[in-house]
């Protein structure tokens, strides 16, 4: 049996005033947060920055450093690495329950550190994949559910809502920093030799992500074992489980989780609502594929069409910046509208944005020469020389797509909860990983599209590739409208 001791730590009494003071208090309530919550915010930033740098670099590294073709690189990322990360994420909850948040954090960071180190130093494909890419999927997967669980555990009831909002914002800030670093390291074009080892630009990017990973160790050290706040005060639970009990707990928890999962699945497939949400999420997967291609397809497209040092990271950052600004506003203005309708509207806007990339580039040459085009090119992107119309087209596409994403993305999970039978909201919510899995499988075909329409050498037809992406994105809103009678259910307290 584990020996457990509890030490109560007095908490400040928080009184929420009304009016403007009440609004401000939604933020100032974090003044009394214990350090573990602030450390969770920092961990989120470090993990997502390292992850995003790796994500943007992966396909380019596979092709340029390891010699894989566009098709093979796209398939490895879309059909192996990314889906494996999703599957391991679903399994990570059991491990977290067994060994605790702090140990799971450390385990994930250790695995990621070893895997990233291998990816930095090796150019042997089999070694890079077996000891780098696949273990990295496991390590990254251990961080995703743990961060959500940590945010909930280390925040009080009053702090919880704003804490999750901040976590979402920090994720996008991490994406922005990663996009900037992705461009900076490539444009720096450093030629360094470390004891005869000369890392390529893509290996240098992996070194950047490795540095973020290493910084996590001292941060994790300051998380106290068993720390957990309550509305009456913080509690520190110190558990001293012997090693045999530690490992037996893991086995028992995983075994029980497997049994519970199998029983849950049997219950779900007997309910009509399960098939409705399954179809709903499959359709949303087409929108997620367009989101994911910004990491797995767009960097190669941008480099081939706009030049080796094109600031594709800063371009992609437009999406994260827009989401940070739009999600709270759109959420506040549309909170009384039905989630299903909002997903249709958002999906249609997203699809419309992608069609911009399929239009003739000469239509946007005047915009490239305009004041706004000059600001975008020389002010924001730091370009020199003429501004290619694709910079304008990409910016417009991402702005429109981001508006649609702000409408639909937060409401997808809300709809899953609305359609779930009472008491099974969590079960249906756990299916929310499905759209990303579908999106990753779809974007795995991106390598074939690049090879066919935007090859490294030979004639290119990028408009055709983007037309295919746009038509794929259109599957979601068209499907949701066509299957509306079958999928949609009434949502309590919401307008149709």
């Amino acid at each position: 049996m584990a020996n457990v001791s509890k030490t109560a730590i007095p908490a400040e009494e928080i009184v929420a005033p009304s009016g403007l003071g009440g609004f401000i208090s939604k933020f100032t309530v974090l003044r009394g947060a214990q350090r573990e919550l602030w450390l969770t915010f920092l961990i989120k930033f470090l993990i997502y920055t390292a992850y995003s740098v790796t994500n943007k670099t992966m396909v380019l590294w596979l092709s340029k450093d390891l010699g894989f073709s566009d098709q093979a690189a796209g398939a490895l990322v879309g059909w192996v690495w990314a889906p494996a990360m999703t599957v391991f994420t679903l399994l990570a909850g059991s491990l977290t329950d067994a060994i605790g948040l702090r140990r799971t954090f450390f385990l994930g960071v250790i695995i990621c550190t070893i895997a990233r180190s291998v990816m930095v130093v090796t150019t042997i494909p089999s070694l890079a994949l077996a000891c780098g890419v696949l273990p990295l999927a496991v390590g990254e997967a251990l961080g995703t559910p743990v961060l959500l669980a940590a945010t909930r555990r280390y925040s009080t009831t009053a702090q919880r809502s704003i804490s999750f909002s901040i976590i979402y914002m920090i994720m996008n800030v991490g994406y922005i920093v990663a996009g900037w670093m992705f461009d900076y390291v490539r444009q720096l074009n450093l030629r360094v030799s470390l004891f005869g080892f000369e890392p390529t630009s893509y290996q240098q990017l992996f070194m950047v992500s490795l540095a973020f990973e290493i910084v996590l160790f001292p941060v994790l050290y300051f998380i106290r074992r068993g720390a957990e706040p309550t509305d009456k005060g913080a509690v520190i639970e110190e558990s001293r489980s012997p090693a045999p009990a530690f490992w037996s707990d893991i086995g028992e928890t995983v075994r029980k989780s497997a049994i519970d999962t199998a029983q849950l699945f049997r219950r779900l497939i007997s309910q009509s609502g399960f098939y409705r949400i399954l179809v709903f999420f499959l359709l949303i997967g087409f929108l997620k594929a367009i989101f994911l291609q910004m990491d797995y397809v767009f960097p190669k497209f941008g480099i081939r069409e706009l030049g080796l040092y094109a600031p594709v990271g800063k371009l992609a950052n437009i999406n994260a910046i827009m989401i940070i600004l739009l999600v709270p506003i759109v959420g506040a203005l549309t909170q009384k509208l039905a989630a299903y309708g909002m997903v249709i509207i958002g999906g249609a806007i997203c699809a419309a944005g992608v069609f911009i990339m399929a239009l003739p580039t000469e239509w946007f040459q005047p915009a490239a020469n305009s004041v706004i085009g000059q600001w975008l090119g020389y002010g924001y992107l730091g370009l020199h020389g003429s501004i290619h119309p694709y910079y304008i087209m990409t910016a417009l596409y991402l702005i429109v797509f981001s508006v649609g994403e702000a409408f639909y993305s937060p409401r997808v999970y809300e709809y899953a909860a609305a359609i779930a039978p009472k008491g099974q909201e969590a079960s249906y919510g756990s299916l929310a990983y499905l759209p990303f899995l579908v999106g990753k499988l779809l974007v795995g075909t991106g390598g074939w599209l690049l090879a066919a329409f935007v090859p490294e050498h030979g004639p290119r037809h990028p408009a055709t590739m983007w037309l295919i992406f746009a038509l794929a994105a259109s599957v979601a809103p068209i499907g949701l409208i066509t299957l509306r009678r079958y999928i949609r259910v009434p949502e309590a307290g919401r307008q149709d």
Side-chain angles (χ1 to χ4, degrees), residues 276 340 415 418-420 484 486-491:
R276 293 181 181 184
Y340 192 90
Y415 185 73
I419 199 174
R484 184 185 183 96
Y486 173 71
I487 301 175
R488 189 179 180 279
V489 294
E491 301 168 41

Side-chain angles (χ1 to χ4, degrees), residues 290 350-356 358 465-475:
I290 307 303
C350 285
V354 187
F355 276 103
I356 293 174
M465 183 186 77
W466 286 106
L467 179 61
I468 293 172
F469 277 129
L471 293 173
S474 302
V475 169

Side-chain angles (χ1 to χ4, degrees), residues 102-351:
R102 191 171 184 270
R103 284 170 170 167
T104 306
F105 269 137
F106 268 116
L107 180 60
V109 173
I110 290 169
I111 293 173
C112 285
T113 300
I114 295 172
R116 292 187 198 282
S117 299
V118 171
M119 293 166 69
V120 165
V121 300
T122 187
T123 55
I124 303 172
S126 57
L127 180 62
L129 294 177
C131 301
V133 175
L134 287 178
L136 183 61
V138 177
E140 294 282 12
L142 289 175
T144 304
V146 182
L147 281 167
L148 295 176
T151 305
R152 187 182 189 283
R153 174 172 295 182
Y154 298 139
S155 59
T156 64
T157 303
Q159 297 164 351
R160 194 153 296 153
S161 179
I162 189 64
S163 295
F164 275 101
S165 298
I166 290 175
I167 277 287
Y168 182 79
M169 182 192 71
I170 289 173
M171 177 183 70
N172 283 280
V173 171
Y175 288 153
I176 292 170
V177 172
W180 181 85
M181 298 192 78
F182 179 72
D183 289 340
Y184 180 76
V185 171
R186 290 186 303 109
Q187 293 168 356
L188 202 59
N189 195 27
L190 277 178
R191 291 290 181 266
V192 296
S193 179
L194 303 172
F195 305 104
F197 170 60
E198 297 181 2
T200 65
S201 293
Y202 302 126
Q203 287 174 315
Q204 290 171 29
L205 282 164
F206 285 150
M207 291 171 72
V208 171
S209 66
L210 176 61
F212 276 96
E213 202 74 50
I214 292 173
V215 171
L216 279 165
F217 283 104
V219 176
L220 292 172
Y221 174 80
F222 288 101
I223 293 181
R224 293 167 292 186
R225 291 183 179 87
E228 186 170 358
T230 67
D231 295 335
K232 294 181 179 180
V235 171
I236 306 298
E237 252 185 42
E238 298 180 357
S239 179
R240 305 181 183 88
S241 299
F246 170 75
W247 291 109
S248 64
D249 285 348
I250 293 179
E252 177 61 25
T253 303
V254 172
R255 185 189 67 82
K256 185 176 182 299
S257 178
I259 294 173
D260 291 345
T261 301
Q263 292 175 344
L264 170 63
F265 186 73
R266 282 198 296 268
R267 287 200 308 270
L268 288 177
I269 61 176
S270 66
Q271 300 168 359
S272 62
F274 169 74
Y275 296 99
R276 293 181 181 184
I277 200 67
L278 192 63
V279 174
F280 177 79
F281 279 147
L282 286 172
L283 292 172
I284 297 301
F286 285 87
L287 294 175
K288 294 300 183 184
I290 307 303
F291 173 80
L292 291 165
Q293 69 81 26
M294 289 303 297
D295 280 341
Y296 300 143
V297 178
F298 184 76
K300 272 189 178 180
F301 161 80
I303 287 172
R304 291 175 183 178
E305 284 292 305
L306 303 173
L308 181 61
Y309 304 116
V312 292
K314 287 183 181 178
L315 269 176
N317 281 351
I318 293 174
N319 173 251
I321 294 169
M322 292 292 295
I323 288 299
I324 290 173
L325 297 174
L326 287 176
V327 166
I329 298 172
V330 173
L333 294 177
T334 63
Q335 58 183 334
K336 292 185 178 181
L337 301 179
Y340 192 90
M342 291 296 297
V343 173
I344 292 177
I345 294 171
I349 295 172
C350 285

